[in-house]
Amino acid sequence: MTDARATEKSAEEYAQEWVKQLIRREMGAREISYKELCERLSILNLDINEHALRNKVARGTFSAAFFVYLLEAMEVKAVYPDYISQELYRHKLKERGIEPLGKPRADQAYLDEDEMRHIVQETTKDFLKSEFGPLLGKK
């Protein structure tokens, strides 16, 4: 007799699968090979060989910082969370008798597209200054 949990994917496995699919989808959309992606990562001072990069992507196990560098090297402008499967999470909610969250209430305040773009641009500038400012002699 097998334990149902042994055959069930964990949340981490779902996340790893999502990351792998996203990276491969973006590489395909841009027609970027692993070799070229390695070259692009080296521009960001990340030296990784093609074999090691293939393995990392195949496993889907790497830091959030490395994920950001991959996106930067592929010039990805946005990642849409609707790619994320909520299957496991919703199953766990159901097991516990918890209703999934509905749509946001109309009276909740949200940032409009221009405000969000401004925040992203400022955050990106701050990140680039902190990461690359010393290399450029800027603080």
Side-chain angles (χ1 to χ4, degrees), residues 29-103:
R30 290 162 174 74
E31 298 180 353
I32 296 174
S33 67
Y34 282 98
K35 181 179 179 180
E36 183 180 351
L37 187 52
C38 288
E39 292 167 3
R40 289 168 163 268
L41 287 168
S42 71
I43 293 168
L44 298 170
N45 293 327
L46 289 172
D47 294 318
I48 185 168
N49 68 47
E50 184 179 344
H51 180 73
L53 180 59
R54 281 181 186 278
N55 285 340
K56 276 183 176 279
V57 172
R59 286 190 313 268
T61 55
F62 39 78
S63 71
F66 188 77
F67 180 62
V68 169
Y69 281 117
L70 287 172
L71 298 176
E72 182 69 23
M74 291 187 290
E75 301 176 30
V76 174
K77 302 293 184 219
V79 175
Y80 300 98
D82 61 327
Y83 292 152
I84 299 172
S85 167
Q86 293 283 310
E87 180 182 339
L88 174 67
Y89 183 69
R90 294 192 183 282
H91 175 71
K92 295 290 185 184
L93 287 176
K94 187 176 180 180
E95 282 180 350
R96 295 181 185 192
I98 300 171
E99 288 295 318
L101 296 172
K103 291 184 178 180

Side-chain angles (χ1 to χ4, degrees), residues 122 124-134 138-139:
E122 291 302 311
T124 302
K125 279 189 221 174
D126 291 344
F127 171 77
L128 292 173
K129 280 182 195 173
S130 68
E131 289 294 314
F132 302 108
K138 299 177 182 177
K139 293 184 181 180

Side-chain angles (χ1 to χ4, degrees), residues 104-110:
R105 294 189 329 247
D107 63 338
Q108 289 179 324
Y110 290 94

Side-chain angles (χ1 to χ4, degrees), residues 113-125:
E113 191 175 328
D114 289 334
E115 290 172 312
M116 184 59 77
R117 185 176 295 113
H118 176 73
I119 290 170
V120 169
Q121 287 172 344
E122 291 302 311
T123 304
T124 302
K125 279 189 221 174

